[in-house]
């Protein structure tokens, strides 16, 4: 059975991105609906999959990572407005039997992602 997971790495500090607010939305046309809100743990992961079981459906989703708040809480000097604030990743789930792992590598100046395993 498929599932959706994530992992956040603070590439500026070389540490897991802990206690970062994460929102998961489903997208249908122009409508956006919040499915879940959580925070990353000390390892930069969530304590359970973001989606699994019957909730894990094909479709378009968004993960919103509140990275700017994380860097501000760490005391990182940031410009106003922040260069990287909320990181929004929109992606599709096509196979409900697969594991979709969406990691975020982030700094105050850049971010990247990929489909992991």
């Amino acid at each position: 059975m498929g599932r959706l997971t994530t992992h956040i790495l603070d590439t500026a500090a070389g540490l897991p991105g802990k206690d970062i607010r994460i929102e998961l939305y489903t997208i249908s046309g122009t409508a956006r609906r919040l499915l879940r809100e959580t925070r990353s743990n000390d390892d930069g992961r969530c304590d359970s999959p973001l989606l699994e079981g019957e909730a894990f459906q094909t479709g378009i989703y968004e993960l919103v990572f509140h990275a700017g708040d994380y860097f501000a809480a760490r005391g990182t000097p940031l410009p106003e407005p922040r260069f990287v604030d909320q990181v929004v990743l929109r992606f599709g789930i096509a196979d409900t039997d697969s594991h979709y792992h969406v990691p975020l590598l982030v700094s105050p100046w850049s971010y990247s992602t990929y489909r992991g395993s």
Side-chain angles (χ1 to χ4, degrees), residues 3-5 8-9 16 18 33 36 42 50-51 54 56 58 63-64 67 70 74 79 93 95 97-99 101 109 117:
R3 66 190 186 280
L4 172 65
T5 58
I8 308 164
L9 298 170
K18 69 178 192 175
R33 183 172 56 94
R36 182 166 182 199
D42 288 349
L50 295 167
L51 283 177
E54 290 187 19
F56 190 70
T58 60
L63 280 169
V64 180
Y70 160 79
R74 286 187 46 82
I93 293 176
D95 180 2
D97 291 325
S98 292
H99 178 191
H101 184 66
W109 308 107
S117 58

Side-chain angles (χ1 to χ4, degrees), residues 9-21:
L9 298 170
D10 174 346
T11 58
L15 298 170
K18 69 178 192 175
D19 198 33
I20 295 177
R21 184 173 152 213

